[in-house]
Amino acid sequence: KRAGVLHDVDDHHHSSRFQFYNLDFLQLHATLGAAVCDAMDVIFLDPEWNNGDDYKQTTREQIHLFNIGPLHLHQVVDQIISQWYRHVQIVAIKVAKNYDQQFLTRKLKKCKAIQDGEYRIGEVSFHNQIMMVIVKAMPENTNQAEHEDEDDNEDQDIDIAMTTSTTQQQSMSFETALLRLPQIINKNETGTVNIRDVITVKVLL
């Protein structure tokens, strides 16, 4: 797999833009240093499935074990978004086609930043691949209060504005952005669609 990546990079003449580290991911942040880690926008994870066993032969039918070293996936994600790469916008995780969606979502909800609504969880499917995406939520800029009727009581306007929580604004922004992805990607210049390139999305949390 590593050789294939290196070949693709050289083949497209982008080798100067990439730097490869043959290191344990759980220790990589310490090698990169705070300045590089704080500038990281996207993290892609391809964790081991089912403790290295053949995932197609699992007796559970759905894969729920996705480990990186000694840590379960949700523990790694918690460290990524709260400690190691604090400004990351997206954590994309390649999962098995028969992964246990409810189990993993429930585990990821244990991450404080996800509990607090700072990050949301979605799913992107394409061809025979599935990715869970943990996305930093961005509140939408709304001017709803400015368009209230002039006769409305000013104090009432303040009360209404206060009841519109940050989490609700973030929810609208995340869902809008995620659901627009298929509209952007599922077409080409001729207007036709290659079935292998079609994606579907789902909001999980």
Side-chain angles (χ1 to χ4, degrees), residues 13-27:
H13 309 291
H14 294 315
S15 57
S16 62
R17 299 176 57 190
F18 291 84
Q19 189 164 357
F20 294 90
Y21 296 88
N22 186 19
L23 295 170
D24 180 351
F25 177 77
L26 301 182
Q27 304 301 324

Side-chain angles (χ1 to χ4, degrees), residues 145 148-150 152-162:
E148 295 291 334
D149 192 288
E150 293 180 358
D152 286 346
N153 182 277
E154 185 177 24
D155 291 335
Q156 184 180 11
D157 288 345
I158 294 174
D159 291 340
I160 292 173
M162 291 178 66

Side-chain angles (χ1 to χ4, degrees), residues 89-136:
Q89 301 296 309
I90 300 173
V91 181
I93 307 159
K94 181 182 177 182
V95 293
K97 289 183 292 184
N98 59 333
Y99 83 107
D100 193 331
Q101 181 191 104
Q102 292 184 351
F103 177 85
L104 279 183
T105 302
R106 188 166 66 248
K107 285 290 187 180
L108 287 168
K109 285 172 65 176
K110 293 183 177 182
C111 303
K112 188 176 187 303
I114 294 177
Q115 285 181 2
D116 294 344
E118 296 176 35
Y119 286 83
R120 301 290 307 282
I121 305 174
E123 178 188 279
V124 178
S125 304
F126 54 97
H127 190 36
N128 62 346
Q129 307 288 335
I130 298 180
M131 284 195 306
M132 291 188 81
V133 289
I134 292 91
V135 181
K136 191 173 184 66

